[in-house]
Amino acid sequence: MDVESDRVIDARGSYCPGPLMELIKAIKEEDVGRVIEVWSSDESSAKDIPEWVKKAGHELIGVFKESDYWRIVVRKTK
Amino acid sequence: MGKLAIVLASGELEKIQAASTIASVASTLGNEVVVFATMDGLMAFRKDVVENRTWKTAGELGKGMLESGAPLFIDTLRQAKEVGNIKIYACGMIMDMLKMKLDDFVDIFDDVVGVSAFLGMVEDAQVLFI
């Protein structure tokens, strides 16, 4: 799936909840409709960030596995 | 959602780390979170302890966390204060007893409160004691 992200956060090397907290900060800063992706080398973050996105009511565009990290792509919806 | 209160009484890094992670994420999901640091849990926020990373650990896991150099609970709580609804309070009784001031601790506390004030804040909250 090819979605152009407006902002990329490279949180590789950080552990739960680091990548999530960085994503949340970016979501707060960006406007509604913007697409933000966070890169995480931490598998638990790749699984847990979508849970947060669902609970917070944003749109999960997808979780994409790269060689040794995950790209979690989210659209801010409110 | 609801209101979550965490009494942080343990000084063990593993417990503080787990509690802070839960508190921080909860604070970003529409919950009001209150952390009350007391006893050894308060001492974990002393400036010298934080600067030298000399927290008590329960065992190998905590030592590994220290050695990894990964950001720990102080950083997580600071991020949560930026983006979430979280207040962190220091226990006044311990500070009186040990003649300590807020200045002896890292800059993270919203205020110093006693047990009555804390109980007033958490009347309608789910309370976790750690």
Side-chain angles (χ1 to χ4, degrees):
Chain A
M1 192 171 169
D2 229 9
V3 177
E4 193 74 19
S5 293
D6 297 301
R7 180 160 168 182
V8 176
I9 303 151
D10 186 352
R12 288 176 296 179
S14 177
Y15 300 94
C16 167
L20 172 61
M21 298 306 287
E22 290 190 44
L23 172 69
I24 295 169
K25 186 162 183 268
I27 287 179
K28 276 228 154 185
E29 289 166 0
E30 294 290 343
D31 294 328
V32 170
R34 303 279 271 182
V35 175
I36 302 145
E37 68 175 80
V38 57
W39 295 358
S40 175
S41 50
D42 175 29
E43 185 169 9
S44 72
S45 293
K47 284 174 81 171
D48 197 55
I49 288 173
E51 297 292 333
W52 182 90
V53 171
K54 195 162 69 179
K55 261 191 152 357
H58 298 290
E59 180 195 345
L60 180 71
I61 292 174
V63 179
F64 307 98
K65 175 90 176 77
E66 303 294 336
S67 52
D68 56 354
Y69 65 98
W70 287 262
R71 289 170 45 231
I72 302 114
V73 185
V74 180
R75 190 192 313 273
K76 174 169 176 166
T77 56
K78 58 183 190 184
Chain B
M1 283 208 264
K3 189 168 175 179
L4 175 68
I6 294 184
V7 181
L8 207 52
S10 169
E12 284 178 358
L13 178 64
E14 294 90 333
K15 288 186 179 171
I16 300 176
Q17 185 74 14
S20 301
T21 301
I22 295 168
S24 297
V25 176
S27 78
T28 68
L29 284 168
N31 301 287
E32 187 182 342
V33 178
V34 177
V35 177
F36 183 56
T38 184
M39 304 293 167
D40 283 343
L42 177 60
M43 296 302 122
F45 291 87
R46 261 171 42 188
K47 272 182 183 162
D48 57 322
V49 174
V50 174
E51 275 163 24
N52 302 316
R53 293 167 73 92
T54 48
W55 292 288
K56 282 194 263 181
T57 58
E60 290 306 312
L61 169 66
K63 290 197 189 96
M65 285 163 80
L66 286 174
E67 282 163 12
S68 77
L72 296 173
F73 66 96
I74 300 279
D75 305 278
T76 304
L77 290 172
R78 285 206 169 117
Q79 286 173 314
K81 289 188 79 165
E82 267 181 56
V83 297
N85 183 2
I86 184 168
K87 293 268 191 279
I88 307 173
Y89 297 101
C91 172
M93 181 271 274
I94 299 295
M95 291 174 62
D96 289 342
M97 197 186 274
L98 301 178
K99 305 208 173 0
M100 297 182 82
K101 298 180 301 292
L102 211 42
D103 198 41
D104 295 317
F105 299 92
V106 291
D107 182 19
I108 199 161
F109 291 108
D110 290 282
D111 205 352
V112 178
V113 301
V115 68
S116 305
F118 173 72
L119 289 171
M121 286 176 202
V122 303
E123 259 170 15
D124 49 349
Q126 189 176 349
V127 182
L128 300 179
F129 188 96
I130 290 150

